[in-house]
Amino acid sequence: MDETGGVSYKHVLVPTDGSKAAKRATEQAVELVKESNGTVHALYVMDMGDASFVAIPSDIKETRQRLEKKGRAFVNEIEEQAEESGVNCVAVVKSGIPENEIVEYVHENDVDLVVMGRRGRSDPDKPLIGSTTKRVLGQTDIPVRVV
């Protein structure tokens, strides 16, 4: 708790897919961390399982490079926004199953809070809460703020 009686978060994770919801989550995460002089962790997970369905084996390396470049751009946006607000930021691009990598990152980096969009780019029928968000909620015991 901080001096005002509110909860203070030192390490806040923002998983991103570059969606509008992820950008709104970033705004909230940066404000929360600014108050506590903490660190925002920006994470993009390359879902190579999806890539293997759309790319022929000889194109996997190229697909991976393209996804990594896209992910780097997404986390760099968060990093720039954090730096403009005077907030520390760690920007990471990983490969794997998004919800598993998010939960693993939480535990490996002592994350206090996850702030994520309620649905991202990969939810075409736009449910109230996206599948990745729903699975993260079910797999972690730390607070998750859904934006």
Side-chain angles (χ1 to χ4, degrees), residues 30-58:
V30 167
E31 285 305 309
L32 285 166
V33 168
K34 191 175 188 177
E35 294 172 10
S36 68
N37 198 26
T39 301
V40 168
H41 296 257
L43 175 65
Y44 175 80
V45 180
M46 298 182 296
D47 190 343
M48 293 306 291
D50 286 349
S52 65
F53 287 114
V54 296
I56 55 176
S58 61

PDB file of all heavy atoms in Angstrom, residues 30-58:
ATOM      1  N   VAL A  30       0.960   2.605 -17.436  1.00  0.00           N
ATOM      2  CA  VAL A  30       1.959   3.664 -17.261  1.00  0.00           C
ATOM      3  C   VAL A  30       1.553   4.576 -16.103  1.00  0.00           C
ATOM      4  O   VAL A  30       2.386   4.936 -15.261  1.00  0.00           O
ATOM      5  CB  VAL A  30       2.168   4.458 -18.574  1.00  0.00           C
ATOM      6  CG1 VAL A  30       2.954   5.748 -18.332  1.00  0.00           C
ATOM      7  CG2 VAL A  30       2.874   3.585 -19.616  1.00  0.00           C
ATOM      8  N   GLU A  31       0.292   4.939 -16.007  1.00  0.00           N
ATOM      9  CA  GLU A  31      -0.168   5.800 -14.903  1.00  0.00           C
ATOM     10  C   GLU A  31      -0.015   5.109 -13.552  1.00  0.00           C
ATOM     11  O   GLU A  31       0.415   5.727 -12.579  1.00  0.00           O
ATOM     12  CB  GLU A  31      -1.619   6.235 -15.120  1.00  0.00           C
ATOM     13  CG  GLU A  31      -1.768   7.307 -16.174  1.00  0.00           C
ATOM     14  CD  GLU A  31      -0.907   8.538 -15.903  1.00  0.00           C
ATOM     15  OE1 GLU A  31      -0.951   9.086 -14.774  1.00  0.00           O
ATOM     16  OE2 GLU A  31      -0.175   8.953 -16.824  1.00  0.00           O
ATOM     17  N   LEU A  32      -0.349   3.825 -13.482  1.00  0.00           N
ATOM     18  CA  LEU A  32      -0.224   3.087 -12.228  1.00  0.00           C
ATOM     19  C   LEU A  32       1.228   3.005 -11.770  1.00  0.00           C
ATOM     20  O   LEU A  32       1.534   3.173 -10.591  1.00  0.00           O
ATOM     21  CB  LEU A  32      -0.781   1.664 -12.385  1.00  0.00           C
ATOM     22  CG  LEU A  32      -2.291   1.539 -12.409  1.00  0.00           C
ATOM     23  CD1 LEU A  32      -2.691   0.156 -12.896  1.00  0.00           C
ATOM     24  CD2 LEU A  32      -2.858   1.806 -11.028  1.00  0.00           C
ATOM     25  N   VAL A  33       2.115   2.743 -12.699  1.00  0.00           N
ATOM     26  CA  VAL A  33       3.529   2.586 -12.366  1.00  0.00           C
ATOM     27  C   VAL A  33       4.160   3.937 -12.043  1.00  0.00           C
ATOM     28  O   VAL A  33       5.030   4.031 -11.175  1.00  0.00           O
ATOM     29  CB  VAL A  33       4.267   1.874 -13.521  1.00  0.00           C
ATOM     30  CG1 VAL A  33       5.755   1.938 -13.360  1.00  0.00           C
ATOM     31  CG2 VAL A  33       3.821   0.433 -13.599  1.00  0.00           C
ATOM     32  N   LYS A  34       3.712   4.967 -12.716  1.00  0.00           N
ATOM     33  CA  LYS A  34       4.235   6.314 -12.465  1.00  0.00           C
ATOM     34  C   LYS A  34       4.030   6.697 -11.008  1.00  0.00           C
ATOM     35  O   LYS A  34       4.911   7.268 -10.374  1.00  0.00           O
ATOM     36  CB  LYS A  34       3.532   7.302 -13.398  1.00  0.00           C
ATOM     37  CG  LYS A  34       4.135   8.674 -13.434  1.00  0.00           C
ATOM     38  CD  LYS A  34       3.412   9.493 -14.484  1.00  0.00           C
ATOM     39  CE  LYS A  34       4.089  10.817 -14.700  1.00  0.00           C
ATOM     40  NZ  LYS A  34       3.438  11.587 -15.762  1.00  0.00           N
ATOM     41  N   GLU A  35       2.873   6.349 -10.458  1.00  0.00           N
ATOM     42  CA  GLU A  35       2.549   6.666  -9.073  1.00  0.00           C
ATOM     43  C   GLU A  35       3.464   5.940  -8.092  1.00  0.00           C
ATOM     44  O   GLU A  35       3.720   6.434  -7.003  1.00  0.00           O
ATOM     45  CB  GLU A  35       1.093   6.309  -8.781  1.00  0.00           C
ATOM     46  CG  GLU A  35       0.097   7.158  -9.546  1.00  0.00           C
ATOM     47  CD  GLU A  35      -1.331   6.665  -9.398  1.00  0.00           C
ATOM     48  OE1 GLU A  35      -1.587   5.777  -8.557  1.00  0.00           O
ATOM     49  OE2 GLU A  35      -2.189   7.164 -10.128  1.00  0.00           O
ATOM     50  N   SER A  36       3.948   4.760  -8.469  1.00  0.00           N
ATOM     51  CA  SER A  36       4.748   3.948  -7.545  1.00  0.00           C
ATOM     52  C   SER A  36       6.235   3.931  -7.883  1.00  0.00           C
ATOM     53  O   SER A  36       7.001   3.222  -7.230  1.00  0.00           O
ATOM     54  CB  SER A  36       4.224   2.511  -7.541  1.00  0.00           C
ATOM     55  OG  SER A  36       4.476   1.906  -8.800  1.00  0.00           O
ATOM     56  N   ASN A  37       6.625   4.691  -8.919  1.00  0.00           N
ATOM     57  CA  ASN A  37       8.019   4.706  -9.362  1.00  0.00           C
ATOM     58  C   ASN A  37       8.501   3.295  -9.712  1.00  0.00           C
ATOM     59  O   ASN A  37       9.609   2.901  -9.364  1.00  0.00           O
ATOM     60  CB  ASN A  37       8.918   5.356  -8.302  1.00  0.00           C
ATOM     61  CG  ASN A  37      10.245   5.778  -8.879  1.00  0.00           C
ATOM     62  OD1 ASN A  37      10.359   6.037 -10.071  1.00  0.00           O
ATOM     63  ND2 ASN A  37      11.252   5.845  -8.034  1.00  0.00           N
ATOM     64  N   GLY A  38       7.638   2.534 -10.383  1.00  0.00           N
ATOM     65  CA  GLY A  38       7.942   1.157 -10.726  1.00  0.00           C
ATOM     66  C   GLY A  38       8.343   0.990 -12.181  1.00  0.00           C
ATOM     67  O   GLY A  38       8.834   1.929 -12.811  1.00  0.00           O
ATOM     68  N   THR A  39       8.096  -0.208 -12.700  1.00  0.00           N
ATOM     69  CA  THR A  39       8.489  -0.561 -14.053  1.00  0.00           C
ATOM     70  C   THR A  39       7.323  -1.180 -14.807  1.00  0.00           C
ATOM     71  O   THR A  39       6.628  -2.050 -14.272  1.00  0.00           O
ATOM     72  CB  THR A  39       9.656  -1.587 -14.018  1.00  0.00           C
ATOM     73  OG1 THR A  39      10.753  -1.001 -13.317  1.00  0.00           O
ATOM     74  CG2 THR A  39      10.106  -1.982 -15.417  1.00  0.00           C
ATOM     75  N   VAL A  40       7.138  -0.740 -16.046  1.00  0.00           N
ATOM     76  CA  VAL A  40       6.186  -1.371 -16.956  1.00  0.00           C
ATOM     77  C   VAL A  40       6.960  -2.435 -17.727  1.00  0.00           C
ATOM     78  O   VAL A  40       8.075  -2.201 -18.190  1.00  0.00           O
ATOM     79  CB  VAL A  40       5.585  -0.345 -17.954  1.00  0.00           C
ATOM     80  CG1 VAL A  40       4.840  -1.042 -19.072  1.00  0.00           C
ATOM     81  CG2 VAL A  40       4.661   0.611 -17.237  1.00  0.00           C
ATOM     82  N   HIS A  41       6.354  -3.593 -17.856  1.00  0.00           N
ATOM     83  CA  HIS A  41       6.924  -4.671 -18.666  1.00  0.00           C
ATOM     84  C   HIS A  41       6.025  -4.843 -19.882  1.00  0.00           C
ATOM     85  O   HIS A  41       4.843  -5.161 -19.735  1.00  0.00           O
ATOM     86  CB  HIS A  41       6.965  -5.975 -17.873  1.00  0.00           C
ATOM     87  CG  HIS A  41       7.857  -5.918 -16.671  1.00  0.00           C
ATOM     88  ND1 HIS A  41       9.101  -6.492 -16.645  1.00  0.00           N
ATOM     89  CD2 HIS A  41       7.679  -5.333 -15.454  1.00  0.00           C
ATOM     90  CE1 HIS A  41       9.654  -6.276 -15.471  1.00  0.00           C
ATOM     91  NE2 HIS A  41       8.807  -5.565 -14.731  1.00  0.00           N
ATOM     92  N   ALA A  42       6.576  -4.590 -21.066  1.00  0.00           N
ATOM     93  CA  ALA A  42       5.826  -4.746 -22.314  1.00  0.00           C
ATOM     94  C   ALA A  42       6.192  -6.094 -22.906  1.00  0.00           C
ATOM     95  O   ALA A  42       7.370  -6.402 -23.093  1.00  0.00           O
ATOM     96  CB  ALA A  42       6.193  -3.628 -23.285  1.00  0.00           C
ATOM     97  N   LEU A  43       5.186  -6.910 -23.212  1.00  0.00           N
ATOM     98  CA  LEU A  43       5.428  -8.258 -23.724  1.00  0.00           C
ATOM     99  C   LEU A  43       4.588  -8.540 -24.960  1.00  0.00           C
ATOM    100  O   LEU A  43       3.373  -8.374 -24.939  1.00  0.00           O
ATOM    101  CB  LEU A  43       5.105  -9.298 -22.639  1.00  0.00           C
ATOM    102  CG  LEU A  43       5.194 -10.771 -23.046  1.00  0.00           C
ATOM    103  CD1 LEU A  43       6.639 -11.156 -23.400  1.00  0.00           C
ATOM    104  CD2 LEU A  43       4.657 -11.662 -21.929  1.00  0.00           C
ATOM    105  N   TYR A  44       5.267  -8.957 -26.013  1.00  0.00           N
ATOM    106  CA  TYR A  44       4.587  -9.445 -27.215  1.00  0.00           C
ATOM    107  C   TYR A  44       4.982 -10.904 -27.374  1.00  0.00           C
ATOM    108  O   TYR A  44       6.168 -11.244 -27.324  1.00  0.00           O
ATOM    109  CB  TYR A  44       5.008  -8.663 -28.455  1.00  0.00           C
ATOM    110  CG  TYR A  44       4.417  -9.212 -29.732  1.00  0.00           C
ATOM    111  CD1 TYR A  44       3.105  -8.918 -30.098  1.00  0.00           C
ATOM    112  CD2 TYR A  44       5.153 -10.043 -30.568  1.00  0.00           C
ATOM    113  CE1 TYR A  44       2.551  -9.430 -31.254  1.00  0.00           C
ATOM    114  CE2 TYR A  44       4.601 -10.556 -31.732  1.00  0.00           C
ATOM    115  CZ  TYR A  44       3.309 -10.246 -32.071  1.00  0.00           C
ATOM    116  OH  TYR A  44       2.754 -10.761 -33.224  1.00  0.00           O
ATOM    117  N   VAL A  45       3.984 -11.768 -27.558  1.00  0.00           N
ATOM    118  CA  VAL A  45       4.264 -13.189 -27.753  1.00  0.00           C
ATOM    119  C   VAL A  45       3.939 -13.565 -29.191  1.00  0.00           C
ATOM    120  O   VAL A  45       2.803 -13.415 -29.645  1.00  0.00           O
ATOM    121  CB  VAL A  45       3.447 -14.068 -26.773  1.00  0.00           C
ATOM    122  CG1 VAL A  45       3.765 -15.543 -27.013  1.00  0.00           C
ATOM    123  CG2 VAL A  45       3.737 -13.683 -25.332  1.00  0.00           C
ATOM    124  N   MET A  46       4.976 -14.040 -29.885  1.00  0.00           N
ATOM    125  CA  MET A  46       4.791 -14.541 -31.254  1.00  0.00           C
ATOM    126  C   MET A  46       4.165 -15.919 -31.152  1.00  0.00           C
ATOM    127  O   MET A  46       4.766 -16.838 -30.602  1.00  0.00           O
ATOM    128  CB  MET A  46       6.132 -14.660 -31.981  1.00  0.00           C
ATOM    129  CG  MET A  46       6.871 -13.369 -32.144  1.00  0.00           C
ATOM    130  SD  MET A  46       8.417 -13.601 -33.067  1.00  0.00           S
ATOM    131  CE  MET A  46       9.343 -14.663 -31.968  1.00  0.00           C
ATOM    132  N   ASP A  47       2.964 -16.054 -31.665  1.00  0.00           N
ATOM    133  CA  ASP A  47       2.275 -17.340 -31.641  1.00  0.00           C
ATOM    134  C   ASP A  47       2.692 -18.129 -32.874  1.00  0.00           C
ATOM    135  O   ASP A  47       2.065 -18.047 -33.924  1.00  0.00           O
ATOM    136  CB  ASP A  47       0.764 -17.131 -31.598  1.00  0.00           C
ATOM    137  CG  ASP A  47       0.003 -18.414 -31.319  1.00  0.00           C
ATOM    138  OD1 ASP A  47       0.590 -19.507 -31.471  1.00  0.00           O
ATOM    139  OD2 ASP A  47      -1.182 -18.317 -30.957  1.00  0.00           O
ATOM    140  N   MET A  48       3.784 -18.868 -32.765  1.00  0.00           N
ATOM    141  CA  MET A  48       4.318 -19.609 -33.913  1.00  0.00           C
ATOM    142  C   MET A  48       3.442 -20.791 -34.288  1.00  0.00           C
ATOM    143  O   MET A  48       3.540 -21.315 -35.380  1.00  0.00           O
ATOM    144  CB  MET A  48       5.755 -20.058 -33.640  1.00  0.00           C
ATOM    145  CG  MET A  48       6.735 -18.901 -33.533  1.00  0.00           C
ATOM    146  SD  MET A  48       6.724 -17.780 -34.966  1.00  0.00           S
ATOM    147  CE  MET A  48       7.432 -18.850 -36.218  1.00  0.00           C
ATOM    148  N   GLY A  49       2.557 -21.217 -33.382  1.00  0.00           N
ATOM    149  CA  GLY A  49       1.602 -22.263 -33.724  1.00  0.00           C
ATOM    150  C   GLY A  49       0.700 -21.795 -34.852  1.00  0.00           C
ATOM    151  O   GLY A  49       0.464 -22.508 -35.814  1.00  0.00           O
ATOM    152  N   ASP A  50       0.227 -20.552 -34.749  1.00  0.00           N
ATOM    153  CA  ASP A  50      -0.588 -19.979 -35.819  1.00  0.00           C
ATOM    154  C   ASP A  50       0.228 -19.822 -37.094  1.00  0.00           C
ATOM    155  O   ASP A  50      -0.259 -20.057 -38.185  1.00  0.00           O
ATOM    156  CB  ASP A  50      -1.148 -18.615 -35.417  1.00  0.00           C
ATOM    157  CG  ASP A  50      -2.276 -18.714 -34.411  1.00  0.00           C
ATOM    158  OD1 ASP A  50      -2.765 -19.839 -34.169  1.00  0.00           O
ATOM    159  OD2 ASP A  50      -2.664 -17.675 -33.864  1.00  0.00           O
ATOM    160  N   ALA A  51       1.479 -19.421 -36.956  1.00  0.00           N
ATOM    161  CA  ALA A  51       2.335 -19.194 -38.119  1.00  0.00           C
ATOM    162  C   ALA A  51       2.555 -20.480 -38.899  1.00  0.00           C
ATOM    163  O   ALA A  51       2.613 -20.466 -40.125  1.00  0.00           O
ATOM    164  CB  ALA A  51       3.678 -18.601 -37.697  1.00  0.00           C
ATOM    165  N   SER A  52       2.653 -21.612 -38.197  1.00  0.00           N
ATOM    166  CA  SER A  52       2.913 -22.865 -38.902  1.00  0.00           C
ATOM    167  C   SER A  52       1.721 -23.295 -39.749  1.00  0.00           C
ATOM    168  O   SER A  52       1.876 -24.057 -40.696  1.00  0.00           O
ATOM    169  CB  SER A  52       3.294 -23.966 -37.907  1.00  0.00           C
ATOM    170  OG  SER A  52       2.207 -24.265 -37.058  1.00  0.00           O
ATOM    171  N   PHE A  53       0.519 -22.799 -39.429  1.00  0.00           N
ATOM    172  CA  PHE A  53      -0.645 -23.117 -40.236  1.00  0.00           C
ATOM    173  C   PHE A  53      -0.703 -22.294 -41.519  1.00  0.00           C
ATOM    174  O   PHE A  53      -1.253 -22.731 -42.512  1.00  0.00           O
ATOM    175  CB  PHE A  53      -1.952 -22.883 -39.452  1.00  0.00           C
ATOM    176  CG  PHE A  53      -2.194 -23.911 -38.408  1.00  0.00           C
ATOM    177  CD1 PHE A  53      -2.171 -23.561 -37.072  1.00  0.00           C
ATOM    178  CD2 PHE A  53      -2.449 -25.233 -38.739  1.00  0.00           C
ATOM    179  CE1 PHE A  53      -2.395 -24.500 -36.086  1.00  0.00           C
ATOM    180  CE2 PHE A  53      -2.668 -26.185 -37.768  1.00  0.00           C
ATOM    181  CZ  PHE A  53      -2.640 -25.823 -36.432  1.00  0.00           C
ATOM    182  N   VAL A  54      -0.133 -21.098 -41.493  1.00  0.00           N
ATOM    183  CA  VAL A  54      -0.252 -20.215 -42.652  1.00  0.00           C
ATOM    184  C   VAL A  54       1.002 -20.146 -43.507  1.00  0.00           C
ATOM    185  O   VAL A  54       0.973 -19.561 -44.575  1.00  0.00           O
ATOM    186  CB  VAL A  54      -0.646 -18.777 -42.219  1.00  0.00           C
ATOM    187  CG1 VAL A  54      -2.015 -18.779 -41.581  1.00  0.00           C
ATOM    188  CG2 VAL A  54       0.384 -18.168 -41.297  1.00  0.00           C
ATOM    189  N   ALA A  55       2.088 -20.734 -43.035  1.00  0.00           N
ATOM    190  CA  ALA A  55       3.338 -20.656 -43.791  1.00  0.00           C
ATOM    191  C   ALA A  55       3.811 -22.050 -44.166  1.00  0.00           C
ATOM    192  O   ALA A  55       3.697 -22.982 -43.388  1.00  0.00           O
ATOM    193  CB  ALA A  55       4.415 -19.964 -42.953  1.00  0.00           C
ATOM    194  N   ILE A  56       4.337 -22.175 -45.366  1.00  0.00           N
ATOM    195  CA  ILE A  56       4.947 -23.435 -45.745  1.00  0.00           C
ATOM    196  C   ILE A  56       6.285 -23.539 -45.030  1.00  0.00           C
ATOM    197  O   ILE A  56       6.871 -22.518 -44.668  1.00  0.00           O
ATOM    198  CB  ILE A  56       5.088 -23.560 -47.280  1.00  0.00           C
ATOM    199  CG1 ILE A  56       5.860 -22.379 -47.856  1.00  0.00           C
ATOM    200  CG2 ILE A  56       3.729 -23.691 -47.945  1.00  0.00           C
ATOM    201  CD1 ILE A  56       6.124 -22.484 -49.343  1.00  0.00           C
ATOM    202  N   PRO A  57       6.756 -24.750 -44.744  1.00  0.00           N
ATOM    203  CA  PRO A  57       7.961 -24.898 -43.915  1.00  0.00           C
ATOM    204  C   PRO A  57       9.146 -24.033 -44.330  1.00  0.00           C
ATOM    205  O   PRO A  57       9.859 -23.510 -43.477  1.00  0.00           O
ATOM    206  CB  PRO A  57       8.288 -26.385 -44.042  1.00  0.00           C
ATOM    207  CG  PRO A  57       6.949 -27.026 -44.275  1.00  0.00           C
ATOM    208  CD  PRO A  57       6.186 -26.026 -45.118  1.00  0.00           C
ATOM    209  N   SER A  58       9.354 -23.835 -45.610  1.00  0.00           N
ATOM    210  CA  SER A  58      10.495 -23.029 -46.038  1.00  0.00           C
ATOM    211  C   SER A  58      10.316 -21.550 -45.696  1.00  0.00           C
ATOM    212  O   SER A  58      11.282 -20.796 -45.667  1.00  0.00           O
ATOM    213  CB  SER A  58      10.729 -23.195 -47.540  1.00  0.00           C
ATOM    214  OG  SER A  58       9.587 -22.761 -48.253  1.00  0.00           O
TER     215      SER A  58
END
